[in-house]
Amino acid sequence: MPPPTSASRTIFVANIPYDVSEEQLASTFSEAGPVNNVEIKFDPQTGRSKGYAFVQFYDEATALSAVRNLQEVPVNGRNLRVELSTDEPGPRRGGRGSRGGIPGHPAEDTPPRGYDAGPPVNRVDLSALPEGAPLPHAANATDSISKTLATVTPGQMQDVMASMKSLITTNPEQARQLLSSKPQLAYALFQAMLLMNIVDPSVLQRIQPLPATAPPPPSNYPPPAQNAYPAYPPASSGPSYPPGGAGYRPPPQQGGYNSAPPAAGYGTPSYGATTPAPPQPPASGMAALPPSAQQALATLPEDQQQMLLQVLQLTPDQINALDATQKASIMQLRQQFLGTAA
DNA sequence: GTTGAGCGTT
């Protein structure tokens, strides 16, 4: 067992823009490893952020890693300053502080399942993407993307995902521009998320077809390498939560972010105020997805980009919490996306 | 702009 108390699993983060949320920080720092808790300090008088926060990991090594690797990362235009935290909050430090939590329920000592102090993320320079190349034999773009995805290893895919997620959280504007200017990337990312079972295929039903400005592609697509993709993730067993809690989960309190999200069925992805179309009856009407919907996916209007952003913000443990049924999901995807399962 | 708070007493 590791020592019950460590020098510091908590880092002090300063120079945080006032409009950054704890969730954003958690997402950013999950790049270093599983995040236990995030607390941005607010001025009780004005309600405004004080511009600094404490991010607690599950071990000291991860905290150190965060100090090394996320030093000076830009978030919303400011470079974060990251140090190991020195002082504990109050005189009551007999264990670890449990402010904002349940008395007798200190912060969890064990990270969510799915972390084995896992492999480091190899950051991918997304800005170095090649421009779109002309397709040979007039192959259609979506099929080419599917085929390309089938050649990507799970590790590579995860690296790209993590890098994209990092970019989104640290530099949303650049991410937006990247996705807008390179729809093939947006499409590939979305399909990758479906393959990795990060996002439920049912979200496809919520995608509004564009006002069909583009010529419809051929109706029958070759299947995108059906079983070319291995199981994802490596069959973790059971929806286990950190021990000690016996299934209990502290209610969300003003004491800060604590990563304990639902495994699936993230809540309504609140669309921006820019949502143009009224809600539409789902499912049955979309049984045969019009080709324009495929264009919609590839083009990703801002609404869908918003959703993509939200989905990408899933933490690694959320990703790991999802398992199995991907085959069925993919079949469902094909059904909806291609209009046929065969 | 830069190191956490206080519904209260086992």
Side-chain angles (χ1 to χ4, degrees):
Chain A
M1 288 286 274
T5 175
S6 46
S8 192
R9 325 182 280 180
T10 304
I11 58 174
F12 169 71
V13 183
N15 213 26
I16 306 170
Y18 290 144
D19 60 344
V20 167
S21 71
E22 289 177 337
E23 285 77 11
Q24 258 177 295
L25 278 188
S27 187
T28 297
F29 282 96
S30 65
E31 189 86 354
V35 171
N36 191 1
N37 192 43
V38 176
E39 285 185 31
I40 293 178
K41 290 308 161 188
F42 293 92
D43 184 334
Q45 308 268 306
T46 69
R48 195 175 64 171
S49 158
K50 290 172 128 174
Y52 64 89
F54 296 89
V55 177
Q56 187 182 55
F57 295 94
Y58 291 94
D59 55 64
E60 188 183 346
T62 309
L64 282 165
S65 168
V67 174
R68 279 186 283 105
N69 295 313
L70 294 169
Q71 191 61 250
E72 300 285 310
V73 291
V75 170
N76 284 8
R78 288 177 80 97
N79 293 349
L80 299 188
R81 213 188 79 213
V82 185
E83 296 173 11
L84 276 184
S85 176
T86 52
D87 290 326
E88 287 279 315
R92 281 208 179 271
R93 66 184 72 171
R96 272 148 273 104
S98 64
R99 67 226 152 266
I102 311 304
H105 275 260
E108 294 288 352
D109 278 341
T110 312
R113 298 309 166 101
Y115 275 103
D116 306 317
V121 171
N122 300 307
R123 290 220 210 179
V124 179
D125 186 2
L126 293 164
S127 64
L129 282 182
E131 292 299 322
L135 291 173
H137 313 123
N140 70 66
T142 56
D143 186 35
S144 298
I145 291 173
S146 295
K147 283 179 173 165
T148 303
L149 271 181
T151 71
V152 174
T153 71
Q156 289 172 323
M157 199 173 282
Q158 202 151 21
D159 286 343
V160 172
M161 282 293 171
S163 300
M164 189 67 210
K165 177 178 145 186
S166 176
L167 178 65
I168 287 168
T169 53
T170 58
N171 202 331
E173 257 318 303
Q174 194 184 336
R176 182 184 300 278
Q177 287 174 10
L178 179 68
L179 290 172
S180 303
S181 65
K182 298 199 160 49
Q184 73 274 26
L185 173 64
Y187 182 96
L189 285 171
F190 196 93
Q191 185 151 347
M193 287 191 294
L194 288 160
L195 286 170
M196 295 165 80
N197 216 5
I198 297 171
V199 56
D200 192 273
S202 65
V203 303
L204 286 174
Q205 297 177 347
R206 315 172 68 156
I207 294 179
Q208 308 276 341
L210 280 185
T213 56
S219 53
N220 265 339
Y221 286 43
Q226 181 140 10
N227 290 326
Y229 213 72
Y232 221 118
S236 69
S237 54
S240 47
Y241 271 92
Y248 175 78
R249 200 175 309 157
Q253 226 159 354
Q254 58 178 11
Y257 166 95
N258 195 353
S259 62
Y266 25 87
T268 54
S270 54
Y271 292 80
T274 58
T275 310
Q280 202 165 302
S284 50
M286 304 276 283
L289 196 68
S292 60
Q294 301 173 18
Q295 294 293 323
L297 246 187
T299 310
L300 277 186
E302 250 188 29
D303 296 349
Q304 263 48 269
Q305 282 192 31
Q306 293 287 357
M307 181 155 67
L308 182 62
L309 296 196
Q310 292 200 2
V311 170
L312 278 172
Q313 299 217 0
L314 291 173
T315 63
D317 52 284
Q318 280 176 292
I319 294 174
N320 282 320
L322 302 166
D323 57 307
T325 71
Q326 54 219 129
K327 202 168 184 177
S329 296
I330 290 175
M331 292 303 286
Q332 195 183 349
L333 153 68
R334 289 171 44 73
Q335 181 74 40
Q336 295 162 351
F337 192 69
L338 304 177
T340 170

